[in-house]
Amino acid sequence: MEQKLLNYNIVLIGFMGSGKSTVASCLCRNYGMETVDMDQVIAEREGMSISDIFEKHGEEYFRNLETALLVELQDRKNVVISCGGGTPLRECNVAEMKKNGKVVLLTAKPETILDRVKNNHDRPLLENNKNVDFISELMAKRRDKYKAAADLIISTDDRSEREICEEIMDTLRNM
Ligand code: S3P
C-alpha cells in the first residue's frame, strides 16, 4: 500500500467492538500514519482502566476527559484517532473532530459486536449486558448521532481489516 502523508486526521467512530482500534492499527501499519487510541491515552494518563475510571469518578468525568483530549488533538495531522464508542454523542466533540478530520463511522451487526466483545471486561457499559438485545437497543439509541457525525460509513461485517482500510483510503482520496 502506498504511503502519503495526509494534512488532516482520520477519526474513527462507531459502537464498541465495531473495529476502531484494529482498523486504526492497520491504517498505521500500511499508510505511515500515527495512531491515537483515545481510551488507551485516557487510561494511561489516569493510571487506571476505563472500568476503574467509571467506577471511581463516574461516566461524566470520563466524558470530560474525552472532550479535553479531542481539543488537544487538534494541533496534529496525519493521525488516526480511534475514539471511544460514546465520543460522538456530545455535539461539541463532533465539532472538534470535524475541525481537521474526516470522520469515518465503522458499523457491524449486533451479533458481530457481541462476538467481538464477549471476552473483554473493560467495557463498563457492556459488563453484565453482553447480549444481542441490549447491544441492538443501545445501537439504535445512538444510530442518528453516529450517522450525523460521519463523513463516510463503512461496514465491517465479514471483511478483513485490509479490505476495510483500502476502502477508507480509496474513498477519502476521492472525496
Ligand atoms: C464506550 C466505549 C468504550 C469506552 C467506554 C465507553 C461507549 O470504547 O470509551 O467504555 O460509551 O460506547 P470502545 O468503543 O473502544 O470500546
Side-chain angles (χ1 to χ4, degrees), residues 16 20 39 50 54 62-63 66 84-86 123-125 142:
M16 293 168 269
K20 301 178 296 277
D39 282 347
I50 301 295
F54 269 64
F62 172 76
R63 298 299 176 197
E66 286 187 308
R123 290 190 170 98
L125 301 180
R142 292 179 167 192

Side-chain angles (χ1 to χ4, degrees), residues 134-153:
F134 181 88
I135 291 170
S136 304
E137 262 177 50
L138 188 54
M139 235 185 219
K141 280 188 199 149
R142 292 179 167 192
R143 188 162 292 128
D144 288 349
K145 286 194 172 155
Y146 282 169
K147 285 195 170 164
D151 294 308
L152 168 63
I153 302 178

Side-chain angles (χ1 to χ4, degrees), residues 1 5-7 16 22 26 33 35 39 45-46 53 72 95 97-98 114 117 121 133 152 154 166-167 169-171 173:
M1 292 187 205
L5 294 187
L6 301 177
N7 63 358
M16 293 168 269
T22 308
C26 181
M33 300 184 75
T35 303
D39 282 347
R45 287 183 179 176
E46 293 295 296
I53 298 173
E72 188 186 317
M97 290 173 193
K98 286 185 174 291
L114 179 60
V117 303
H121 294 284
D133 285 349
L152 168 63
I154 308 270
E166 281 176 0
E167 186 182 346
M169 295 310 276
D170 288 347
T171 314
R173 274 193 208 108

Side-chain angles (χ1 to χ4, degrees), residues 46-113:
E46 293 295 296
M48 64 180 99
S49 69
I50 301 295
S51 295
D52 286 344
I53 298 173
F54 269 64
E55 198 184 312
K56 295 212 166 85
H57 301 293
E59 182 170 346
E60 189 68 12
Y61 176 88
F62 172 76
R63 298 299 176 197
N64 291 338
L65 294 177
E66 286 187 308
T67 301
L69 180 53
L70 270 178
V71 172
E72 188 186 317
L73 289 170
Q74 291 319 305
D75 305 343
R76 313 278 297 276
K77 56 186 165 189
N78 200 45
V79 173
V80 186
I81 302 171
S82 175
C83 295
T87 315
L89 302 179
R90 278 190 180 176
E91 254 176 52
C92 64
N93 289 352
V94 176
E96 287 302 322
M97 290 173 193
K98 286 185 174 291
K99 278 186 183 163
N100 189 34
K102 299 271 191 268
V103 180
V104 179
L105 169 61
L106 301 181
T107 65
K109 291 188 279 206
E111 291 78 4
T112 308
I113 298 285

